Amino acid sequence: MKITVNWLLSVLFATLLPGILCLQKEMTIIIAPGGKDCFHENGLAGQMVDLEYQVIDGSHGDLDISFDLTDSSGRLIFADYKKSDNIHRYKLPQDTELTFCFNNEFSRMNSKTVFFEIIIEREDEDAGWSNFDILEGLSPEEFYDMKVQDIEDIIKRVRNNLTKARQFQDMLRSHEARDRNMAEENYFKVNAWSFFQIIIMLGVGFCQVVMVKSLFDTESKAHKLWSKM
């Protein structure tokens, strides 16, 4: 019974521990025209920061946004100006509070819909395990029989593969949303341009009818105007 309980605890810690050591957030936000939205996250020295963003809708405008990432001292780490998407990776040299902002101040009429994902984790996945003795109290024979190291390796591989698969699915969804918005925007532009051309054609046709009619109506003002010309 002791082995069973300890084995269950080890599997539970092995499953939950990577989530504790890794921060992962994703969000879709709408930035108003002339607006700026900022977010804050804490990071520890030695951790890797992966941040990816993509503009998926521009409200009949360009798919672009400005981005900057700074630390707690105000030092600028990354800065992008009017980009549709980008990926940044940075290793923290010290404990700090990260501030990343999406800036739409250059656009006065169009709001921007931005999808972003931030991951903060240790560069060495095994670093966190050295601080936790999840099998404390087991004898060497029990440790050997359970092959805990093999279990940990399998769980880590499964966890990494699931995380990569989920990130890939999230990016596919953001690309799909962006493509759908672009298709709808092009559909709107085609309809607007077609409507404008129809109005012009009707106007030109009306003018032609009036001009031809005036040639045969000697009492009309248009005919007198043409006669003077």
Side-chain angles (χ1 to χ4, degrees):
M1 183 64 180
K2 178 181 178 182
I3 296 179
T4 302
V5 173
N6 286 327
W7 183 82
L8 291 175
L9 290 176
S10 66
V11 173
L12 179 63
F13 273 100
T15 305
L16 296 180
L17 184 58
I20 297 175
L21 297 176
C22 173
L23 181 144
Q24 181 175 354
K25 290 184 179 180
E26 59 184 39
M27 189 179 301
T28 301
I29 59 175
I30 299 177
I31 305 176
K36 181 178 181 180
D37 287 348
C38 295
F39 302 86
H40 307 273
E41 292 293 345
N42 293 320
L44 303 177
Q47 288 184 321
M48 294 297 300
V49 178
D50 289 291
L51 196 150
E52 181 173 1
Y53 68 88
Q54 183 180 44
V55 183
I56 60 178
D57 189 17
S59 299
H60 306 306
D62 295 333
L63 299 177
D64 54 6
I65 198 72
S66 294
F67 169 83
D68 60 82
L69 175 67
T70 58
D71 57 18
S72 56
S73 64
R75 183 174 64 91
L76 184 64
I77 302 174
F78 296 111
D80 298 332
Y81 179 70
K82 299 182 69 175
K83 287 192 174 182
S84 61
D85 59 88
N86 209 346
I87 301 175
H88 293 295
R89 183 175 176 85
Y90 178 67
K91 184 175 182 180
L92 297 177
Q94 59 187 6
D95 297 352
T96 185
E97 181 185 45
L98 297 173
T99 301
F100 55 98
C101 300
F102 297 96
N103 193 332
N104 193 33
E105 294 178 348
F106 58 84
S107 178
R108 296 300 178 182
M109 298 181 61
N110 302 316
S111 62
K112 305 295 174 63
T113 302
V114 181
F115 168 82
F116 73 88
E117 181 179 32
I118 182 171
I119 302 175
I120 302 178
E121 61 182 348
R122 300 191 66 89
E123 184 178 22
D124 183 6
E125 294 182 353
D126 296 329
W129 293 94
S130 61
N131 298 327
F132 293 85
D133 187 5
I134 62 176
L135 300 175
E136 184 178 358
L138 295 181
S139 65
E141 292 78 12
E142 293 171 341
F143 182 88
Y144 177 82
D145 294 336
M146 292 170 56
K147 298 182 179 179
V148 175
Q149 188 60 48
D150 292 340
I151 296 175
E152 292 179 3
D153 294 339
I154 293 173
I155 292 176
K156 289 179 184 179
R157 286 197 298 270
V158 172
R159 177 244 179 185
N160 290 335
N161 291 335
L162 288 176
T163 300
K164 293 178 181 178
R166 190 171 67 83
Q167 292 175 356
F168 184 69
Q169 290 175 346
D170 292 338
M171 292 309 303
L172 285 180
R173 283 196 294 267
S174 66
H175 283 291
E176 180 185 2
R178 179 178 180 178
D179 293 340
R180 183 176 64 253
N181 291 329
M182 291 181 64
E184 293 176 353
E185 175 67 17
N186 291 334
Y187 177 75
F188 172 81
K189 290 180 179 179
V190 169
N191 286 339
W193 181 246
S194 299
F195 179 76
F196 176 74
Q197 287 183 322
I198 291 174
I199 296 297
I200 296 298
M201 291 173 62
L202 291 175
V204 172
F206 177 77
C207 292
Q208 289 177 342
V209 170
V210 172
M211 292 174 62
V212 173
K213 184 178 179 181
S214 67
L215 295 177
F216 300 95
D217 187 2
T218 58
E219 300 298 329
S220 65
K221 296 181 179 179
H223 180 78
K224 296 178 180 179
L225 180 62
W226 286 114
S227 299
K228 292 180 180 180
M229 295 178 59

